[in-house]
Amino acid sequence: MKMDSRLILALDETDVPKALHVLDEVCGIIDAVKINWPLILSAGPEIITTLSQKADVICDFKIADIPNTDRLIIEQSVKRGASGVIVHAFTGTDSLKECVSAAGGRDVFVVTEMSHPGGQEFTAKHAEEFAAMAAECGASGLIAPATRPERIKKIKESAPGLLILSPGVGAQGGSASNAVLNGADYVIVGRSIYGSSDPKDAAQKLADEIKALRF
Amino acid sequence: MKMDSRLILALDETDVPKALHVLDEVCGIIDAVKINWPLILSAGPEIITTLSQKADVICDFKIADIPNTDRLIIEQSVKRGASGVIVHAFTGTDSLKECVSAAGGRDVFVVTEMSHPGGQEFTAKHAEEFAAMAAECGASGLIAPATRPERIKKIKESAPGLLILSPGVGAQGGSASNAVLNGADYVIVGRSIYGSSDPKDAAQKLADEIKALRF
């Protein structure tokens, strides 16, 4: 995955022509596109391949199953063109190790504390453990919430070598600047870009905001 | 979902003609068929509709996301013909409530303690809390491990009115009889049926084993 604008588009638009239009508009700005199951259920798994021809695709499948099933999901995602996958850690070390092995060198990003209110009930309690497990199992990075930027810093300290990707910017209330200033390497933005009347302009403004912090 | 043989087929075969052949062989015996993401990634989401014409389909998607994404996944699964979905509870009460609401009366089954070794690291610690949350949020039932039948009994006590579905029978080491004797209402069996040279005979033997315990 590139490390240029540090911006990842969460393409949670399930209308396929609209999704493709948004990606065409912003693929020169973003570093990667993140997709989730609703798009697969609406467009079919071929959409992974289609999108991967325009940008690096991270399959945000929040994989959380037994090791054998995790492996099958990741192998098929990679075969279809995914550059990375997002997985849960609370299924245990054996599942997480199998995910990293199945990815065969593609990026595995591990969810720590989730960005929505319910994320504080269980995931927050174990976020630092999940981060340490991710480092131990050979993952590339962590997902940590832009909605709670002070948590990004704590989670980063639990696994210093790993990349931090932060969702929750925009519609969910998080700020790109706060996330980056607290240690996020990439920010993940969805509705503020794909729901904008001018997705390219929205993405460029966010990219400029992030760039201004770093130089 | 019927409550006749108390047997659910985990159709983890990703070769579509083989999967359809197995289901044709056993659909008169099983109460439902459970499918997972690898089949969707291999066959496309239309497979949900195809299978739903032969048996009740439980989408074992281990849904574990923020509320809005959970809703989109479940709405599309139901639209395609799912009778039930399997979801995680560790994403918190708001996510779980949204799952039940999105299912619109279809069954929502909540994972408690997972059946693989890694399931003991985090899910076992919170299994009784997950069971109580499932009852509180209006779920239909729980997933509890046939590989640890003594845990089925404890988990059932945490949510007395809910159905218990137990995976891990056969290839993973659990026994259908032990699961049912400890409180499972349904057992979920995969490889021992779809990997058998005679799936119909394998399913019938398991159905007979379960029936013998109850009468």
Side-chain angles (χ1 to χ4, degrees):
Chain A
M1 181 162 58
K2 288 188 290 183
M3 203 171 200
D4 184 8
S5 67
R6 313 252 182 156
L7 186 60
I8 296 169
L9 169 66
L11 193 55
D12 293 330
E13 171 63 65
T14 53
D15 179 294
V16 180
K18 276 193 204 165
L20 292 174
H21 170 72
V22 169
L23 188 54
D24 281 335
E25 287 284 298
V26 306
C27 64
I29 301 167
I30 59 169
D31 283 345
V33 60
K34 179 181 89 71
I35 60 169
N36 201 316
W37 290 122
L39 186 60
I40 303 295
L41 287 173
S42 123
E46 305 78 14
I47 192 77
I48 303 172
T49 315
T50 306
L51 299 180
S52 72
Q53 286 150 3
K54 299 171 191 278
D56 277 348
V57 175
I58 300 172
C59 287
D60 180 10
F61 289 165
K62 304 269 190 332
I63 300 171
D65 216 307
I66 62 171
N68 188 52
T69 306
D70 294 341
R71 168 171 290 281
L72 293 172
I73 295 171
I74 292 175
E75 282 177 350
Q76 293 201 45
S77 304
V78 166
K79 205 170 99 186
R80 298 247 184 214
S83 301
V85 291
I86 296 179
V87 310
H88 277 295
F90 75 96
T91 47
T93 312
D94 53 357
S95 284
L96 190 48
K97 281 188 178 155
E98 196 76 7
C99 288
V100 173
S101 158
R106 271 76 170 189
D107 289 321
V108 173
F109 302 107
V110 177
V111 176
T112 57
E113 177 175 329
M114 294 179 75
S115 59
H116 66 301
Q120 294 187 284
E121 290 174 43
F122 297 98
T123 65
K125 285 179 193 161
H126 298 294
E128 282 88 349
E129 289 168 88
F130 295 159
M133 272 173 68
E136 184 199 318
C137 295
S140 310
L142 304 171
I143 311 294
T147 48
R148 297 179 210 111
E150 74 289 356
R151 293 290 293 147
I152 298 176
K153 198 176 274 184
K154 292 292 281 181
I155 289 163
K156 200 179 176 91
E157 284 168 12
S158 304
L162 299 196
L163 293 171
I164 302 270
L165 281 56
S166 288
V169 168
Q172 281 188 67
S175 126
S177 300
N178 273 348
V180 171
L181 290 173
N182 280 276
D185 298 291
Y186 293 88
V187 294
I188 301 171
V189 184
R191 279 169 275 182
S192 310
I193 296 175
Y194 72 74
S196 164
S197 57
D198 188 343
K200 192 172 178 177
D201 180 64
Q204 191 59 58
K205 278 186 178 139
L206 279 158
D208 291 343
E209 177 187 335
I210 297 165
K211 199 174 177 187
L213 298 170
R214 294 186 292 121
F215 301 104
Chain B
M1 181 162 61
K2 288 188 289 184
M3 203 171 200
D4 185 9
S5 67
R6 315 253 180 154
L7 186 60
I8 296 169
L9 169 65
L11 193 55
D12 294 330
E13 172 62 66
T14 54
D15 179 294
V16 180
K18 275 193 203 166
L20 291 174
H21 171 72
V22 169
L23 187 55
D24 281 336
E25 286 283 298
V26 307
C27 63
I29 301 166
I30 59 169
D31 284 344
V33 61
K34 180 181 87 71
I35 59 169
N36 202 316
W37 290 121
L39 187 59
I40 304 294
L41 287 173
S42 123
E46 305 77 15
I47 192 76
I48 302 173
T49 314
T50 306
L51 299 179
S52 73
Q53 286 151 4
K54 299 171 190 278
D56 277 347
V57 175
I58 300 171
C59 287
D60 181 9
F61 289 165
K62 303 267 188 337
I63 300 170
D65 217 307
I66 63 171
N68 187 53
T69 306
D70 295 341
R71 168 171 290 279
L72 293 173
I73 295 171
I74 293 175
E75 282 177 351
Q76 294 202 46
S77 303
V78 166
K79 203 170 101 186
R80 298 246 183 215
S83 301
V85 290
I86 296 179
V87 309
H88 276 296
F90 75 96
T91 46
T93 313
D94 53 357
S95 283
L96 191 48
K97 281 188 178 155
E98 196 77 5
C99 288
V100 173
S101 159
R106 271 76 169 188
D107 289 320
V108 173
F109 301 108
V110 177
V111 176
T112 57
E113 177 175 327
M114 294 180 75
S115 59
H116 66 300
Q120 294 188 283
E121 290 173 43
F122 297 99
T123 65
K125 284 178 195 163
H126 298 293
E128 283 89 349
E129 289 168 88
F130 295 160
M133 272 174 68
E136 183 199 317
C137 295
S140 310
L142 303 171
I143 310 294
T147 47
R148 298 178 210 112
E150 74 289 355
R151 293 289 294 146
I152 298 176
K153 198 176 273 185
K154 292 291 281 180
I155 288 163
K156 199 179 177 90
E157 284 167 12
S158 304
L162 299 196
L163 293 170
I164 302 271
L165 281 56
S166 287
V169 167
Q172 282 189 63
S175 126
S177 301
N178 274 349
V180 171
L181 291 172
N182 281 277
D185 299 291
Y186 294 89
V187 295
I188 301 172
V189 184
R191 278 169 277 184
S192 309
I193 295 176
Y194 72 75
S196 164
S197 57
D198 188 343
K200 191 173 179 177
D201 181 64
Q204 190 60 58
K205 279 186 177 138
L206 279 158
D208 291 344
E209 179 187 333
I210 297 165
K211 197 174 179 188
L213 299 170
R214 293 186 293 121
F215 301 105

